[in-house]
Amino acid sequence: MAKIELHKQILENLSTAVVLLDESMVVEYANPAAEMLLEASMRRLSQLNIAEWFSLCAVEQKDLQECLATGHPYTHREAKIVTLSGATLTVDYSINPLITPEGQQLLIEIESRDRLMRIEREEDLLTQHDTARSLVRGLAHEIKNPLGGIRGAAQLLERELHDPSLHDYTHVIIEEADRLRNLVDRLLGPRKLPNMKMINIHAVLERVCHLIEAETKGEILLQRDYDPSIPEFMGDAEQLIQAMLNILRNSMQAIMSADVDVPTIKIRTRAFRQVTLGAEKHRLVCSVEIIDNGPGIPEDILSKIFYPMVSGRAEGTGLGLSIAQSIINQHQGLIECETRPGETRFQLLIPLELNNESTM
């Protein structure tokens, strides 16, 4: 009896979700990790058929029946589960047949892949952004050096030209050299370290909202959904205003160029605990979501939207999102994007504590 209690205690303290099915594929037992993963209590899961909480395709259903018939265990990678609350999860699961006094049973071990996939996605995003920034810096250096020479030569040439009508040509050279230099500077993004001071994220967002409302003259509905419990944190208010403004303008332009009945941008703030960004785990993170009801971002550029010079609009420069990502990276944070027709969501995650103070 003591051994049975020990086994039960071990199961209930595992971080891996464990579910036991009878030969009719009905849940007989689920440990607390399974209850948390499936977002349902054992009382609710009890007597439910696996088809009611596990999204099995025809192939998976066949594998499950064969496992029960042959007694051969198997593992399935990156399967999809729709919980009873409607959330979709990506999981790895293993099926092990058991022979017990009650008859044939199936032991299912389920491990969530969503968190690992998110960490991998964030690390890829940060790596890609760092690679792009390094490439741009090298390219900018190679461009600015000859540009300075061209501009200087045009100024010297202008002094030697005694016919004022010819000065128009040297002016064009100088102005275009200056334009290209400014473009390169914008490609480089913020060139100074953030001026860190205690700031309120909602004061930053309200400043940005006032600018957008002035630009759109009220044509776009801005909905605020703020969490007032988010504390002040160390940040550069001016840079964060620039980052938020770049994203909101991107959403604004996408909506204005589409045929949307009620152009709307929702701004939502929340505080999340124990969030991993890239390789770093942060105790408390501020989340700012900017959600628009525009047409969405084309699939072919979605993975590249934070690269410089990538834009979905013919008149766009493709610098706004790249600069915004650089600013948030300087605050040890990250910007992610999800999109579908009718909704695009940018999520800015900013640690509320500096890295040397964060809990690992």
Side-chain angles (χ1 to χ4, degrees):
M1 187 68 181
K3 190 172 290 187
I4 294 175
E5 288 298 323
L6 176 62
H7 291 167
K8 184 177 180 182
Q9 188 174 358
I10 292 172
L11 279 171
E12 291 184 349
N13 283 277
L14 287 175
S15 59
T16 301
V18 176
V19 177
L20 184 67
L21 304 180
D22 64 16
E23 58 186 8
S24 302
M25 307 295 177
V26 172
V27 177
E28 285 197 353
Y29 170 80
N31 70 345
E35 292 179 308
M36 186 176 298
L37 179 67
L38 301 174
E39 300 177 348
S41 65
M42 178 56 202
R43 179 179 296 178
R44 190 175 180 194
L45 289 171
S46 179
Q47 306 307 312
L48 282 181
N49 188 280
I50 187 173
E52 296 181 65
W53 54 269
F54 209 112
S55 311
L56 294 173
C57 65
V59 173
E60 290 174 300
Q61 288 178 358
K62 183 180 177 183
D63 290 342
L64 199 62
Q65 294 294 340
E66 286 183 359
C67 176
L68 194 61
T70 63
H72 292 155
Y74 70 93
T75 298
H76 193 85
R77 304 291 183 187
E78 297 190 7
K80 296 294 183 183
I81 288 181
V82 178
T83 67
L84 295 179
S85 64
T88 301
L89 306 176
T90 303
V91 300
D92 294 342
Y93 69 88
S94 297
I95 307 288
N96 288 282
L98 301 176
I99 303 296
T100 69
E102 288 76 19
Q104 281 188 305
Q105 294 179 312
L106 293 178
L107 184 69
I108 307 179
E109 298 174 70
I110 310 171
E111 187 171 358
S112 176
R113 288 283 301 168
D114 290 286
R115 182 173 178 271
L116 293 175
M117 290 171 69
R118 176 172 180 158
I119 291 172
E120 291 171 1
R121 186 174 66 248
E122 289 172 350
E123 287 181 340
D124 287 344
L125 187 59
L126 290 170
T127 300
Q128 291 171 5
H129 190 69
D130 287 343
T131 302
R133 302 306 302 169
S134 298
L135 178 62
V136 167
R137 287 191 192 99
L139 185 62
H141 178 74
E142 294 300 321
I143 292 174
K144 291 183 79 171
N145 282 344
L147 273 181
I150 291 170
R151 192 182 193 283
Q155 288 175 321
L156 291 174
L157 179 61
E158 185 174 298
R159 294 175 189 172
E160 298 298 322
L161 294 174
H162 302 295
D163 185 353
S165 64
L166 297 177
H167 291 179
D168 289 342
Y169 300 108
T170 55
H171 288 166
V172 169
I173 297 172
I174 293 170
E175 288 170 2
E176 288 301 296
D178 287 343
R179 187 179 66 83
L180 287 174
R181 184 192 60 200
N182 292 335
L183 176 61
V184 169
D185 287 340
R186 290 178 63 199
L187 276 170
L188 290 172
R191 304 189 65 184
K192 62 179 181 179
L193 293 174
N195 180 22
M196 295 295 196
K197 297 180 181 178
M198 294 301 292
I199 63 170
N200 183 307
I201 191 63
H202 299 126
V204 168
L205 288 170
E206 281 304 297
R207 173 78 181 277
V208 173
C209 286
H210 290 325
L211 292 171
I212 292 295
E213 285 170 340
E215 289 182 22
T216 61
K217 297 181 175 61
E219 293 182 19
I220 290 180
L221 175 63
L222 291 180
Q223 295 180 340
R224 279 92 153 173
D225 181 7
Y226 293 163
D227 179 357
S229 69
I230 297 176
E232 292 187 347
F233 61 94
M234 294 295 289
D236 186 320
E238 292 303 317
Q239 285 196 11
L240 288 175
I241 286 171
Q242 184 64 58
M244 308 287 181
L245 190 58
N246 286 357
I247 294 175
L248 271 163
R249 278 182 176 150
N250 189 79
S251 297
M252 175 191 76
Q253 291 161 355
I255 294 175
M256 299 295 279
S257 63
D259 185 17
V260 179
D261 291 337
V262 183
T264 305
I265 298 176
K266 179 182 288 187
I267 303 169
R268 178 190 297 138
T269 62
R270 293 292 185 269
F272 296 143
R273 296 185 180 276
Q274 304 299 338
V275 176
T276 301
L277 299 176
E280 301 290 338
K281 187 174 183 180
H282 300 275
R283 191 173 67 87
L284 197 60
V285 167
C286 170
S287 166
V288 179
E289 291 179 291
I290 298 172
I291 308 164
D292 69 65
N293 61 345
I297 298 171
E299 185 73 25
D300 58 334
I301 68 169
L302 179 59
S303 62
K304 301 174 283 189
I305 57 173
F306 294 109
Y307 286 171
M309 309 303 289
V310 175
S311 175
R313 297 178 297 111
E315 69 277 13
T317 62
L319 297 177
L321 295 179
S322 174
I323 291 171
Q325 186 72 275
S326 294
I327 291 171
I328 300 302
N329 286 168
Q330 286 187 341
H331 287 75
Q332 302 175 10
L334 183 71
I335 306 176
E336 295 183 315
C337 178
E338 294 180 1
T339 186
R340 59 181 175 82
E343 181 180 290
T344 298
R345 181 177 68 92
F346 285 92
Q347 184 176 32
L348 296 79
L349 298 167
I350 308 170
L352 291 174
E353 297 175 340
L354 295 178
N355 190 43
N356 56 3
E357 298 175 356
S358 62
T359 301
M360 289 301 295

